[in-house]
Amino acid sequence: MIDKLLSRFREPLETSLEDAEDFFREQRQEELREAEKRFKELEHRLEEDLEELKADLEELEGYDDYKDRTVIEDVVDNISRDRQKLLEELELPGHPEELLDALEELLEDFNDLSRKEAAVIKEANLMNEIQEPMTDIQEVRKELEDFLEDEYKVRKTLEQLEELSGQREQLQLEIEERELELEDIDRESVDQAIESNEREVENLLDSGEWQDYQGLQEQLEEARRRKKEQEQELGKAVNRMERGMKKLVYQIKNGDIEFEGDVSVLEDIRDGNTGELVEKPGEVVKAAEDATGVLPMDLLDDASHRKFMDGAEFLMGLPSHHQELMEINDRIEELEEKVDNHSAREKKKELEEEREELEQEIAELEKKRNRLEKEIEEKEKKLSDTEQQIKETLTSSFRRRVVF
């Protein structure tokens, strides 16, 4: 509390985010040197203690039990060899926290005894043989713990600043890379290409070539309309005969009326199969004539009879109807080929495909732009958080206000 009050009256320290790491190192250089020196001392002591322990363990090999108990001698040899192996495999890290972890793991493994081994150690009083180095190692472990709680904090702060400064530098680099990518997005050239495409389409639609293409399309639509009308006329004639033809075919099949013509044609008329009928006009004419010849006057009422005869009259003129329909079909095929292969149609199709590709390119560019802008925003947020952490870490390590 007093330190906080006093810090308000001291001249503030000045630095920048770029220099935060070096500034801390300069301001706390004496403490950093002392911490490094202290750690080296502990590290050196530990190495000596471990060497002494290893030597003591080697001396235990070939242990002679005063009662000549082979079992005890074998167990002692095993204990000695196993613990020496632990020491040989031990690698001492150069970092205080990692070193403490490695040391604690070693002590745990070293003291991990089976019930039989514990009994032998007690019986042979072996702990006295290695007591001094083990005590020293425990002492180093305790001093290392205290070091991490006290003197090492200044080094820990520097490590935090080094990590945060590295993160800050990396984020700045990544933001700069994204911004350069953003600058390289060239939508203007694609927009110009779209405008050029639109002008080409307009010019094409104003050209005589397009007028010719439209004229062919109109002719094609007219031919298709005429074909549809012809087919509808045939359909109407067949529909007028449907009721009477059903009764007539029934009478013929039942043997009530004698009919020498092709009944299947009559069935096509009855069922409205105009597609079948138009392909065999001669057979339809004969069937219509034969049907009117055998149709009993009393089979249908007057209205149905008139409809039947009207329909039959149309079917008797089917050859000319068929000829006209064939000519229309030929004309449709001719016009369809001209329309499909017309140069104006091909040009418009190419321009439409080009426009579609350009619009897809625009969409991809916008997608990339949005992604980059989002990444920049996220990284700037991380950068701001990192810089705030640098400020807080540096400020909390001094008893004076720090101005950035």
Side-chain angles (χ1 to χ4, degrees):
M1 182 65 178
I2 294 175
D3 287 338
K4 288 184 178 179
L5 289 172
L6 290 174
S7 69
R8 297 180 182 178
F9 300 100
R10 295 193 184 107
E11 283 294 320
L13 297 170
E14 293 186 9
T15 186
S16 64
L17 288 165
E18 289 77 8
D19 299 330
E21 179 186 330
D22 291 337
F23 175 78
F24 181 84
R25 189 180 283 108
E26 181 182 341
Q27 291 291 322
R28 309 300 285 271
Q29 57 183 324
E30 188 60 35
E31 293 168 77
L32 288 167
R33 276 197 297 267
E34 288 298 322
E36 184 68 20
K37 180 181 177 182
R38 175 61 175 154
F39 176 62
K40 291 299 181 184
E41 289 174 357
L42 292 172
E43 196 174 34
H44 181 66
R45 278 177 52 194
L46 179 60
E47 289 172 353
E48 289 182 340
D49 293 338
L50 291 172
E51 285 298 323
E52 185 180 346
L53 177 61
K54 185 178 180 183
D56 289 347
L57 288 170
E58 288 174 354
E59 289 181 6
L60 287 177
E61 286 190 74
Y63 172 79
D64 291 325
D65 181 50
Y66 69 97
K67 293 183 180 180
D68 292 328
R69 290 170 292 185
T70 304
V71 173
I72 289 183
E73 292 175 348
D74 289 343
V75 171
V76 171
D77 281 346
N78 287 336
I79 292 173
S80 174
R81 283 193 296 270
D82 289 346
R83 274 38 179 193
Q84 285 184 70
K85 185 179 179 182
L86 284 176
L87 294 177
E88 288 169 1
E89 293 176 350
L90 176 65
E91 293 183 7
L92 297 180
H95 191 279
E97 291 175 327
E98 294 175 4
L99 179 59
L100 179 61
D101 291 339
L103 183 54
E104 288 181 341
E105 184 178 352
L106 172 69
L107 291 172
E108 183 179 350
D109 293 340
F110 203 91
N111 294 320
D112 184 18
L113 299 168
S114 67
R115 186 177 299 175
K116 182 178 180 181
E117 287 175 330
V120 168
I121 285 177
K122 184 177 180 181
E123 173 67 22
N125 202 22
L126 293 180
M127 284 308 297
N128 288 336
E129 303 295 330
I130 58 174
Q131 185 65 49
E132 185 175 344
M134 286 298 294
T135 300
D136 290 342
I137 290 171
Q138 291 284 3
E139 181 62 28
V140 171
R141 183 189 66 79
K142 178 64 173 64
E143 290 183 34
L144 192 55
E145 285 180 342
D146 295 340
F147 171 75
L148 288 170
E149 288 295 320
D150 186 16
E151 297 137 285
Y152 180 68
K153 284 185 177 179
V154 66
R155 178 64 195 177
K156 184 71 173 177
T157 301
L158 179 59
E159 289 176 0
Q160 290 172 349
L161 286 171
E162 288 172 343
E163 182 179 355
L164 290 169
S165 295
Q167 291 175 4
R168 178 177 181 271
E169 186 176 343
Q170 180 63 30
L171 285 167
Q172 287 177 321
L173 180 62
E174 291 174 0
I175 290 171
E176 185 179 343
E177 289 173 349
R178 302 308 188 275
E179 287 175 340
L180 288 174
E181 284 188 66
L182 205 55
E183 290 176 9
D184 287 340
I185 294 177
D186 182 17
R187 172 167 175 164
E188 184 178 353
S189 63
V190 185
D191 286 334
Q192 290 173 353
I194 288 177
E195 290 177 7
S196 175
N197 176 276
E198 290 173 346
R199 285 194 297 272
E200 288 186 62
V201 171
E202 289 173 3
N203 293 336
L204 176 63
L205 296 180
D206 290 338
S207 67
E209 186 182 11
W210 185 257
Q211 300 304 318
D212 179 64
Y213 173 68
Q214 282 190 312
L216 290 173
Q217 281 188 311
E218 290 172 0
Q219 293 176 46
L220 178 58
E221 289 303 314
E222 175 61 21
R224 287 171 175 168
R225 185 188 62 76
R226 286 173 53 203
K227 178 183 179 181
K228 186 176 180 180
E229 287 179 352
Q230 292 282 348
E231 291 172 343
Q232 286 176 340
E233 286 183 22
L234 176 59
K236 288 178 182 178
V238 171
N239 287 339
R240 293 176 70 81
M241 297 179 71
E242 180 183 3
R243 181 178 176 81
M245 192 60 75
K246 284 181 179 179
K247 291 188 175 183
L248 179 60
V249 170
Y250 176 79
Q251 294 278 9
I252 291 171
K253 286 191 171 184
N254 201 39
D256 298 333
I257 296 176
E258 187 174 334
F259 184 75
E260 296 180 355
D262 189 348
V263 180
S264 67
V265 179
L266 300 185
E267 290 174 331
D268 284 336
I269 296 172
R270 177 198 64 188
D271 298 336
N273 297 331
T274 55
E276 296 286 336
L277 296 172
V278 79
E279 295 298 326
K280 45 188 178 184
E283 296 176 38
V284 173
V285 170
K286 185 176 186 312
E289 290 174 346
D290 292 343
T292 56
V294 299
L295 181 69
M297 294 297 295
D298 60 349
L299 183 63
L300 304 171
D301 57 43
D302 291 344
S304 296
H305 191 274
R306 281 195 303 275
K307 289 181 179 181
F308 187 92
M309 297 306 290
D310 288 345
E313 183 179 356
F314 181 88
L315 291 182
M316 290 176 194
L318 187 60
S320 62
H321 180 81
H322 176 264
Q323 180 61 34
E324 185 176 357
L325 194 58
M326 292 301 99
E327 290 174 359
I328 293 174
N329 279 333
D330 291 341
R331 179 61 175 163
I332 288 173
E333 289 180 6
E334 178 188 355
L335 288 169
E336 283 178 341
E337 184 176 358
K338 287 182 177 180
V339 166
D340 290 343
N341 298 321
H342 200 283
S343 59
R345 181 177 183 273
E346 291 298 320
K347 288 179 182 177
K348 189 162 188 296
K349 182 181 177 183
E350 289 174 4
L351 288 170
E352 287 173 346
E353 289 175 350
E354 179 186 326
R355 174 61 180 265
E356 188 175 328
E357 289 176 2
L358 289 169
E359 288 178 345
Q360 180 63 32
E361 189 174 348
I362 286 287
E364 291 297 324
L365 288 175
E366 286 304 306
K367 183 178 178 182
K368 184 178 180 180
R369 182 193 298 278
N370 292 335
R371 175 180 61 79
L372 289 171
E373 288 176 345
K374 184 177 180 182
E375 287 183 14
I376 290 172
E377 182 181 352
E378 290 174 349
K379 290 184 183 300
E380 285 179 340
K381 174 65 169 59
K382 288 181 181 178
L383 177 61
S384 177
D385 292 343
T386 301
E387 290 180 341
Q388 184 60 33
Q389 284 181 272
I390 291 174
K391 290 178 181 180
E392 291 174 358
T393 301
L394 198 57
T395 301
S396 64
S397 66
F398 294 103
R399 294 179 179 179
R400 293 167 65 181
R401 190 160 58 93
V402 181
V403 177
F404 294 87

